[in-house]
Coordinates of all heavy atoms in Angstrom, one line a residue:
Q1 N -75.1 21.9 -110.3 CA -76.3 21.5 -111.0 C -76.8 20.1 -110.6 O -75.9 19.3 -110.2 CB -76.1 21.4 -112.6 CG -75.8 22.8 -113.1 CD -77.1 23.7 -113.4 OE1 -78.1 23.2 -113.5 NE2 -76.9 24.9 -113.5
P2 N -78.1 19.8 -110.6 CA -78.6 18.4 -110.3 C -77.8 17.4 -111.2 O -77.7 17.6 -112.4 CB -80.0 18.5 -110.6 CG -80.4 19.8 -110.3 CD -79.3 20.6 -110.9
G3 N -77.4 16.3 -110.6 CA -76.6 15.3 -111.4 C -75.1 15.6 -111.4 O -74.3 14.7 -111.9
G4 N -74.7 16.7 -110.9 CA -73.3 17.1 -110.9 C -72.6 16.6 -109.7 O -73.1 15.7 -108.9
S5 N -71.2 16.8 -109.6 CA -70.4 16.4 -108.6 C -69.7 17.5 -107.9 O -69.5 18.6 -108.4 CB -69.3 15.4 -109.3 OG -69.9 14.3 -109.9
L6 N -69.3 17.2 -106.6 CA -68.6 18.1 -105.9 C -67.8 17.4 -104.9 O -68.2 16.3 -104.4 CB -69.5 19.0 -105.1 CG -69.2 20.4 -104.6 CD1 -68.8 21.3 -105.8 CD2 -70.3 21.0 -103.8
R7 N -66.7 17.8 -104.5 CA -65.8 17.2 -103.6 C -65.5 18.1 -102.4 O -65.1 19.3 -102.6 CB -64.4 16.8 -104.1 CG -63.6 16.0 -103.1 CD -62.3 15.4 -103.7 NE -61.3 16.5 -104.0 CZ -60.1 16.4 -104.3 NH1 -59.6 15.0 -104.6 NH2 -59.2 17.3 -104.6
L8 N -65.7 17.8 -101.2 CA -65.5 18.5 -99.9 C -64.2 18.1 -99.3 O -63.9 16.8 -99.2 CB -66.7 18.3 -99.0 CG -68.1 18.6 -99.5 CD1 -69.1 18.6 -98.3 CD2 -68.2 20.1 -100.1
S9 N -63.5 18.9 -98.7 CA -62.4 18.6 -98.0 C -62.4 19.0 -96.5 O -63.0 20.0 -96.2 CB -61.1 19.3 -98.7 OG -60.9 18.8 -99.9
C10 N -61.7 18.3 -95.7 CA -61.7 18.5 -94.2 C -60.1 18.5 -93.8 O -59.6 17.5 -94.1 CB -62.5 17.6 -93.5 SG -62.4 17.8 -91.6
K11 N -59.7 19.5 -93.0 CA -58.4 19.4 -92.5 C -58.4 19.6 -91.0 O -59.0 20.7 -90.6 CB -57.5 20.5 -93.2 CG -56.1 20.5 -92.7 CD -55.2 21.4 -93.4 CE -53.8 21.5 -92.9 NZ -53.1 20.1 -93.0
A12 N -57.8 18.8 -90.3 CA -57.6 19.0 -88.8 C -56.2 19.5 -88.6 O -55.3 18.9 -89.2 CB -57.9 17.7 -88.1
S13 N -56.1 20.5 -87.8 CA -54.7 21.1 -87.6 C -54.5 21.3 -86.1 O -55.5 21.4 -85.2 CB -54.5 22.4 -88.3 OG -55.5 23.3 -87.9
G14 N -53.3 21.5 -85.6 CA -53.0 21.7 -84.3 C -52.2 20.5 -83.7 O -51.6 19.7 -84.4
S15 N -52.3 20.4 -82.4 CA -51.7 19.2 -81.7 C -52.5 18.0 -81.7 O -53.5 17.9 -81.1 CB -51.4 19.6 -80.2 OG -50.8 18.5 -79.5
I16 N -52.2 17.1 -82.6 CA -52.9 15.9 -82.8 C -52.0 14.6 -82.7 O -51.0 14.6 -83.4 CB -53.5 15.9 -84.1 CG1 -54.5 17.0 -84.3 CG2 -54.4 14.6 -84.4 CD1 -55.0 17.3 -85.9
F17 N -52.5 13.8 -81.7 CA -51.7 12.5 -81.6 C -52.2 11.5 -82.5 O -51.3 10.8 -83.3 CB -51.9 11.9 -80.2 CG -51.1 10.7 -79.9 CD1 -49.8 10.6 -79.8 CD2 -51.9 9.5 -79.9 CE1 -49.1 9.5 -79.6 CE2 -51.2 8.3 -79.7 CZ -49.9 8.2 -79.6
S18 N -53.5 11.3 -82.7 CA -54.1 10.4 -83.6 C -55.5 10.7 -83.8 O -56.2 11.2 -83.0 CB -53.9 9.0 -83.1 OG -54.7 8.7 -82.0
I19 N -56.1 10.6 -85.0 CA -57.4 10.7 -85.4 C -58.0 9.3 -85.5 O -57.7 8.5 -86.3 CB -57.6 11.4 -86.8 CG1 -57.0 12.9 -86.6 CG2 -59.1 11.5 -87.1 CD1 -57.2 13.6 -87.9
N20 N -59.1 9.0 -84.6 CA -59.6 7.8 -84.5 C -60.8 7.7 -85.6 O -60.9 6.5 -86.2 CB -60.3 7.5 -83.1 CG -59.2 7.4 -82.1 OD1 -58.2 6.9 -82.4 ND2 -59.5 7.9 -80.9
A21 N -61.4 8.7 -86.0 CA -62.5 8.6 -87.0 C -62.8 10.0 -87.4 O -62.5 11.1 -86.8 CB -63.8 8.1 -86.3
M22 N -63.3 10.0 -88.7 CA -63.7 11.3 -89.3 C -65.1 11.0 -89.9 O -65.3 10.1 -90.5 CB -62.8 11.8 -90.3 CG -61.4 12.3 -89.9 SD -60.4 13.0 -91.2 CE -61.1 14.6 -91.2
G23 N -66.0 12.0 -89.8 CA -67.4 11.9 -90.3 C -67.8 13.2 -90.9 O -67.3 14.2 -90.6
W24 N -68.7 13.0 -91.8 CA -69.4 14.1 -92.3 C -71.0 14.1 -92.0 O -71.6 13.1 -92.2 CB -69.3 14.1 -94.0 CG -67.9 14.3 -94.4 CD1 -66.9 13.4 -94.7 CD2 -67.5 15.7 -94.8 NE1 -65.8 14.1 -95.1 CE2 -66.0 15.5 -95.1 CE3 -68.0 17.0 -94.8 CZ2 -65.3 16.6 -95.5 CZ3 -67.1 18.0 -95.1 CH2 -65.8 17.8 -95.5
Y25 N -71.5 15.3 -91.7 CA -72.8 15.4 -91.3 C -73.3 16.6 -92.1 O -72.6 17.4 -92.7 CB -72.9 15.8 -89.8 CG -72.5 14.7 -88.8 CD1 -71.2 14.5 -88.6 CD2 -73.6 14.0 -88.1 CE1 -70.8 13.4 -87.8 CE2 -73.2 13.0 -87.3 CZ -71.8 12.8 -87.1 OH -71.4 11.7 -86.2
R26 N -74.6 16.6 -92.3 CA -75.4 17.8 -93.0 C -76.6 18.2 -92.3 O -77.2 17.4 -91.6 CB -75.6 17.4 -94.4 CG -76.8 16.4 -94.6 CD -76.9 16.0 -96.1 NE -78.1 15.1 -96.3 CZ -78.3 14.6 -97.5 NH1 -77.5 14.8 -98.5 NH2 -79.4 13.9 -97.7
Q27 N -77.0 19.4 -92.5 CA -78.1 20.0 -91.9 C -78.8 21.0 -92.8 O -78.2 22.0 -93.3 CB -77.8 20.8 -90.6 CG -79.1 21.2 -89.9 CD -78.8 21.6 -88.4 OE1 -77.6 21.9 -88.1 NE2 -79.8 21.6 -87.5
A28 N -80.0 20.6 -93.2 CA -80.8 21.6 -94.1 C -81.8 22.3 -93.3 O -82.0 22.0 -92.1 CB -81.6 20.7 -95.1
P29 N -82.2 23.5 -93.8 CA -83.0 24.4 -93.1 C -84.2 23.7 -92.6 O -84.9 23.0 -93.3 CB -83.5 25.5 -94.2 CG -82.3 25.5 -95.0 CD -81.8 24.1 -95.1
G30 N -84.5 23.9 -91.3 CA -85.6 23.3 -90.6 C -85.5 21.8 -90.3 O -86.4 21.1 -89.8
K31 N -84.3 21.3 -90.6 CA -84.1 19.8 -90.4 C -83.0 19.6 -89.3 O -82.3 20.5 -89.0 CB -83.7 19.1 -91.7 CG -84.6 19.3 -92.8 CD -85.8 18.4 -92.7 CE -86.8 18.5 -93.9 NZ -88.0 17.8 -93.7
E32 N -83.0 18.4 -88.7 CA -82.0 18.0 -87.8 C -80.7 17.6 -88.5 O -80.7 17.2 -89.6 CB -82.5 16.9 -86.9 CG -83.6 17.3 -86.0 CD -84.1 16.2 -85.1 OE1 -83.5 15.1 -85.2 OE2 -84.9 16.4 -84.2
R33 N -79.6 17.8 -87.8 CA -78.4 17.5 -88.4 C -78.4 15.9 -88.4 O -78.7 15.2 -87.5 CB -77.2 18.0 -87.6 CG -75.8 17.7 -88.0 CD -74.7 18.4 -87.3 NE -74.8 19.8 -87.3 CZ -74.0 20.7 -86.7 NH1 -72.9 20.2 -86.1 NH2 -74.2 21.9 -86.8

């Protein structure tokens, strides 16, 4: 609902030496990411 809250999670798996940065992007219909 509008005004509500939500938490998104992201997991990287596999052979990883180090993660330099993580980012979140979004794309709405008809819009650029």
